[in-house]
Amino acid sequence: MFAKRSRPLASTLLAAFCSFGLLAAAPALAAGKLPHVVILATGGTIAGTGASSTTTVGYTAAKVGVDGLIAAVPELQKVAHVTGEQPLQIASENITNADWLKLSKRVNEVLARPDVDGVVITHGTDTLEETAYFLDLTVHSDKPVVIVGAMRPSTAISADGPINLYNAVILAGSKEAVGKGVLVAMNDQINAGREVTKTNTSTADTFKTPELGMLGYMQDNAPHFYRLPLRKHTSQSPFDVSHMTSLPQVDIIYGYGNDNRIALDAFVKAGSKGIIYAGVGDGSISDALKPALQEARKQGVIIVRSSRVGNGIVARNGEANDDKLDYVVSDTLNPQKARILLMLALTKTHDTKKIQQMFYTY
Ligand code: SIN
């Protein structure tokens, strides 16, 4: 149960957001015309409210609308011409394939407008990495797309939403972000949509690109890039979802000691077209599960071996004879991102050689 807020929403938000002294305009932008950045708000903790300023867990996500988010950070107007829309208002654990399709279509439409320079999407952090990768593969524009969330609700002491939103808008309006794919800007850091993952349940520095590293920093009202994503994305991606109303069913099963085939059999019976196996180690499969995966493949289900480890390449023909079994490996994609790519791959082909190539390309 969540207690009622003790202060009116508007004053609580303004107090939280205006505690940042961010009045200086970005130097690079100050000389010219301000970029037009459209904020597409979808809910999450960045739009969440708690019972008090010290409530940082047990709050309610997705309460503040896009106008409230924009109004609460007046500094935004100094760095961009900002307008907003509200395509979704959800806690991100509820995001669906239909929501991703809707969001992708809207981002493509908005970016096609000549008066728009970039898009910011405010999003819950729980599935933010999946949305980032989905858009990285389905938005066909070089204009910046920046996804941002917050780990503390808007009503909390030191809420991270205002500074994160401010930085995201600067990044989305910057020339430096053009052509770099979907970016995630939080906690003063810039990460690539394909690579970023949530690494901590609750701390503000949760979004990281383990081992491969972030792309750069947001500092002093400007982006500073040091690396580039090499995998193909956005305008180089072939996945066109503009006319789609659904995506193929792809599910994830998890490897663990003493595991069994019950979940896999249930998914196959329920119509799964693809299974991501979040395997132990390098995608190793227990003897209890091996026959079930092979049977699923013989029934036409595409099997992708991923790993629950969180880092590293799943080696093709390493812990399983993928050539013989006709399996695909996820390369470095974690299971939830591998699910995104397999859903999109299945809209194009069921040829496992072609799907494997996609996992090495995107
Ligand atoms: C959500 O993902 O919507 C809730 C959690 C968060 O945004 O941090």
Side-chain angles (χ1 to χ4, degrees):
M1 293 294 276
F2 300 107
K4 265 187 160 323
R5 281 179 291 105
S6 54
R7 283 205 277 168
L9 178 62
S11 66
T12 311
L13 272 172
L14 278 172
F17 277 65
C18 291
S19 60
F20 294 87
L22 300 169
L23 293 170
L29 301 171
K33 206 166 144 263
L34 290 180
H36 181 189
V37 174
V38 179
I39 297 179
L40 301 181
T42 72
T45 295
I46 193 166
T49 58
S52 75
S53 59
T54 52
T55 302
T56 53
V57 292
Y59 53 86
T60 311
K63 296 300 272 185
V64 183
V66 67
D67 293 341
L69 290 176
I70 294 170
V73 191
E75 294 85 354
L76 294 179
Q77 305 302 335
K78 296 191 182 290
V79 293
H81 167 51
V82 174
T83 55
E85 293 179 22
Q86 188 86 52
L88 302 169
Q89 181 65 306
I90 57 171
S92 78
E93 67 267 27
N94 296 318
I95 202 151
T96 62
N97 292 352
D99 292 332
W100 280 323
L101 290 171
K102 178 180 175 182
L103 195 56
S104 172
K105 283 177 204 168
R106 192 63 197 137
V107 174
N108 276 305
E109 284 164 6
V110 168
L111 290 178
R113 283 167 41 190
D115 65 309
V116 172
D117 296 291
V119 160
V120 166
I121 297 158
T122 61
H123 200 290
T125 61
D126 289 348
T127 57
L128 187 152
E129 66 190 82
E130 287 158 76
T131 301
Y133 191 42
F134 187 81
L135 297 179
D136 203 45
L137 295 172
T138 61
V139 169
H140 301 291
S141 172
D142 285 336
K143 291 181 186 177
V145 177
V146 180
I147 310 196
V148 63
M151 290 303 288
R152 299 184 191 123
S154 63
T155 41
I157 299 172
S158 293
D160 51 339
I163 183 71
N164 285 347
L165 183 60
Y166 178 77
N167 279 334
V169 166
I170 291 175
L171 184 60
S174 73
K175 289 187 178 56
E176 290 88 338
V178 170
K180 293 195 170 62
V182 171
L183 301 171
V184 173
M186 285 181 67
N187 199 42
D188 298 340
Q189 297 180 351
I190 307 166
N191 281 284
R194 180 189 182 275
E195 263 111 54
V196 70
T197 191
K198 189 173 184 179
T199 64
N200 186 288
T201 56
S202 35
T203 58
D205 66 343
T206 182
F207 280 95
K208 296 196 189 306
T209 300
E211 299 193 341
L212 297 179
M214 66 175 130
L215 304 183
Y217 300 103
M218 291 302 300
Q219 192 178 74
D220 199 20
N221 306 304
H224 303 264
F225 279 95
Y226 298 90
R227 306 184 200 292
L228 279 180
L230 288 179
R231 292 305 176 97
K232 291 192 171 159
H233 55 72
T234 54
S235 47
Q236 297 174 307
S237 165
F239 302 110
D240 178 7
V241 296
S242 58
H243 299 294
M244 287 180 199
T245 52
S246 65
L247 291 165
Q249 184 185 338
V250 172
D251 297 293
I252 301 173
I253 58 164
Y254 204 82
Y256 51 92
N258 198 50
D259 65 1
N260 59 64
R261 58 183 292 170
I262 297 170
L264 173 61
D265 287 344
F267 279 134
V268 172
K269 197 168 166 211
S272 274
K273 301 290 180 284
I275 290 289
I276 307 297
Y277 172 55
V280 295
D282 192 10
S284 302
I285 309 165
S286 69
D287 289 343
L289 200 55
K290 274 178 189 162
L293 280 172
Q294 288 173 31
E295 285 164 34
R297 179 69 203 107
K298 284 195 179 112
Q299 288 175 48
V301 179
I302 303 294
I303 308 296
V304 175
R305 286 196 305 117
S306 181
S307 172
R308 68 178 197 175
V309 167
N311 286 297
I313 301 167
V314 175
R316 190 168 172 87
N317 297 321
E319 291 296 334
N321 189 336
D322 299 296
D323 287 349
K324 183 164 162 241
L325 297 168
D326 203 20
Y327 295 167
V328 174
V329 290
S330 70
D331 188 51
T332 59
L333 290 181
N334 67 24
Q336 58 270 33
K337 286 180 195 259
R339 177 176 173 272
I340 298 288
L341 180 53
L342 183 56
M343 284 194 299
L344 291 169
L346 287 172
T347 66
K348 294 210 156 286
T349 183
H350 283 69
D351 180 328
T352 50
K353 287 193 178 57
K354 289 186 180 152
I355 293 173
Q356 183 64 77
Q357 205 46 49
M358 289 175 185
F359 274 84
Y360 288 141
T361 306
Y362 304 105

